[in-house]
Amino acid sequence: MSGATDYDVEAVRADFPILTTRVGNYPLAYLDSANTSQKPQVVIDAVADHYAHHNANVARAMHKLGLEATQAYEGGRERIARFIGAERPEEVIALSNASEGLNLCAYTLGSRLKPGDEVVVSVMEHHSNLVPWQLACQRTGATLRWFDITDEGRLDLEKAEREGLINEHTKVVSIALASNVLGTVNPVTAIAAQAHAVGAVMVVDASQAVPQMPVDVSTLGADLVAFTGHKMVGPTGIGILWGHYDLLADLPPFLGGGEMIEIVRMDHSTYAEPPHRFEAGTPPIAQMVGLAKAADYLDGVGMAAIAAHERDIADYALAGLSGLKGLRILGPTEAVDRTGTISFTIEGVHPHDAMSLMDSHGVAVRGGHHCARPLHERLGIQASLRASAYLYTTRGEIDALVDAVEYARDFFTGRTLTGAGAGRSHS
């Protein structure tokens, strides 16, 4: 199987200092990027330079450093707006993470809900795109409904249509663009059209998509889109919520505090226009600087090229893992409409045990329910292993993954350690 010839993964890897790490006698094979991505040196340097030379609070201080910090922060907002195709930077809200963005959506849109209204999610949602909507429905008496999945791990659109899942009672539809467990890329543009046809608001959790593929909010069909910085080679501590400006201007504040106000009196307050209405307190300034540099870096590599590389790696990994006995792959088994995130179980082996043994061989994966317990229950399992590739993942690392999985299977099930599964070193 030939790989993409126009993508220099070794040149990309050279930009990430942590990828030279060794685990005992093994080079690190970092396959946990769906959890958090590693950072290129240019992002690390940008954050360090801000703290070393430009550190001050934004908007409040009119001295030299305050002006520099404000320009850097608002410049970062403009850069992220360009990265996702936003019409104007005021549509980009900087928060602490994507979870805060989704909570903001549930709280503000939830203020409009009443008994008889319905909110639609899916069984494959991350808890961050499920629990806030549960809370909103509990507060208001609205009803929570959800898409089921097919045996292949895709949204069961036919079942949803038969059941009239999206109907005249639907007020909000909130769906992940890509599953953090199954890797499935969902048809959110088509679903958004259904939502808008009944007057519902379309919310999209794009945390597992914006880092991996080109995402243009001007054509996606969503009204609100949340994603996080730390999965797109940016810093931790920053998430982005994009929304159509007119919708944002119509929503109430989520958190109260400094900078989100217009006028404050003892008996009432008025509020700033978006995006500042939703950015109470000191915002993630250095993180925005780093995120802007991350956007520069990703665009420099090319989002289409990153997506193609990830599809190639996913295809290679699916082929390698599918050949192992006792392995069950969750979700699509072909690299079509899916990311490089692959979850699986090993018959007779607990994911935590396998994860620990694989780590001793330098292979970093995640074991657990991946903040998607209802999905695991739907699949009839308690937990799974997850290997997630990104722009710096190599086929050699996938070979190491397959070896480590086979080794863990044999170790814990008592099978004879032979062949590739005997735990050979990878380089």
Side-chain angles (χ1 to χ4, degrees), residues 347-389:
E347 184 180 358
V349 183
H350 194 283
H352 290 169
D353 293 334
M355 175 180 63
S356 296
L357 191 61
M358 292 167 68
D359 177 59
S360 71
H361 283 223
V363 179
V365 297
R366 183 176 178 181
H369 55 55
H370 319 307
C371 298
R373 183 170 181 173
L375 174 60
H376 281 78
E377 290 180 349
R378 169 64 179 82
L379 295 168
I381 56 178
Q382 293 294 315
S384 64
L385 288 156
R386 184 182 70 184
S388 46

Side-chain angles (χ1 to χ4, degrees), residues 82-94:
R82 294 198 305 274
F83 184 72
I84 60 173
E87 184 177 327
R88 51 195 289 193
E90 291 84 0
E91 295 180 331
V92 173
I93 300 165

Side-chain angles (χ1 to χ4, degrees), residues 237-256:
I238 185 169
I240 298 296
L241 178 66
W242 168 87
H244 287 298
Y245 186 83
D246 290 345
L247 174 59
L248 295 176
D250 194 44
L251 294 177
F254 175 47
L255 299 175

Side-chain angles (χ1 to χ4, degrees), residues 118 166-167 170-173 192 194-202 223:
E118 295 179 358
I166 297 176
N167 57 63
T170 307
K171 302 304 177 185
V172 179
V173 179
Q194 296 178 43
H196 293 152
V198 297
V201 176
M202 183 72 192
D223 300 298

Side-chain angles (χ1 to χ4, degrees), residues 287-320:
Q287 291 87 341
M288 180 65 94
V289 171
L291 188 59
K293 185 59 68 172
D296 287 343
Y297 182 84
L298 292 176
D299 276 341
V301 177
M303 290 306 301
I306 291 170
H309 173 72
E310 193 159 336
R311 282 193 301 271
D312 177 74
I313 290 293
D315 189 56
Y316 188 75
L318 288 166

Side-chain angles (χ1 to χ4, degrees), residues 185-205:
V185 177
N186 292 320
V188 298
T189 303
I191 295 172
Q194 296 178 43
H196 293 152
V198 297
V201 176
M202 183 72 192
V203 180
V204 171
D205 175 7

Side-chain angles (χ1 to χ4, degrees), residues 167-358:
N167 57 63
E168 67 273 16
H169 302 292
T170 307
K171 302 304 177 185
V172 179
V173 179
S174 191
I175 300 292
L177 180 49
S179 169
N180 74 310
V181 176
L182 305 174
T184 309
V185 177
N186 292 320
V188 298
T189 303
I191 295 172
Q194 296 178 43
H196 293 152
V198 297
V201 176
M202 183 72 192
V203 180
V204 171
D205 175 7
S207 296
Q208 299 289 336
V210 167
Q212 279 81 18
M213 64 190 74
V215 174
D216 186 340
V217 295
S218 70
T219 60
L220 186 62
D223 300 298
L224 295 159
V225 176
F227 61 97
T228 195
H230 70 95
K231 298 183 194 297
M232 53 176 282
V233 308
T236 56
I238 185 169
I240 298 296
L241 178 66
W242 168 87
H244 287 298
Y245 186 83
D246 290 345
L247 174 59
L248 295 176
D250 194 44
L251 294 177
F254 175 47
L255 299 175
E259 300 307 323
M260 52 76 63
I261 50 84
E262 182 184 45
I263 297 173
V264 176
R265 294 193 171 92
M266 289 306 298
D267 59 347
H268 74 282
S269 299
T270 57
Y271 310 115
E273 296 298 317
H276 302 294
R277 175 182 303 177
F278 304 104
E279 295 180 352
T282 297
I285 306 166
Q287 291 87 341
M288 180 65 94
V289 171
L291 188 59
K293 185 59 68 172
D296 287 343
Y297 182 84
L298 292 176
D299 276 341
V301 177
M303 290 306 301
I306 291 170
H309 173 72
E310 193 159 336
R311 282 193 301 271
D312 177 74
I313 290 293
D315 189 56
Y316 188 75
L318 288 166
L321 292 170
S322 296
L324 298 181
K325 293 182 178 180
L327 201 77
R328 174 191 175 189
I329 294 175
L330 311 179
T333 55
E334 295 183 355
V336 178
D337 293 329
R338 66 139 40 245
T339 66
T341 294
I342 302 172
S343 296
F344 56 92
T345 58
I346 306 172
E347 184 180 358
V349 183
H350 194 283
H352 290 169
D353 293 334
M355 175 180 63
S356 296
L357 191 61
M358 292 167 68

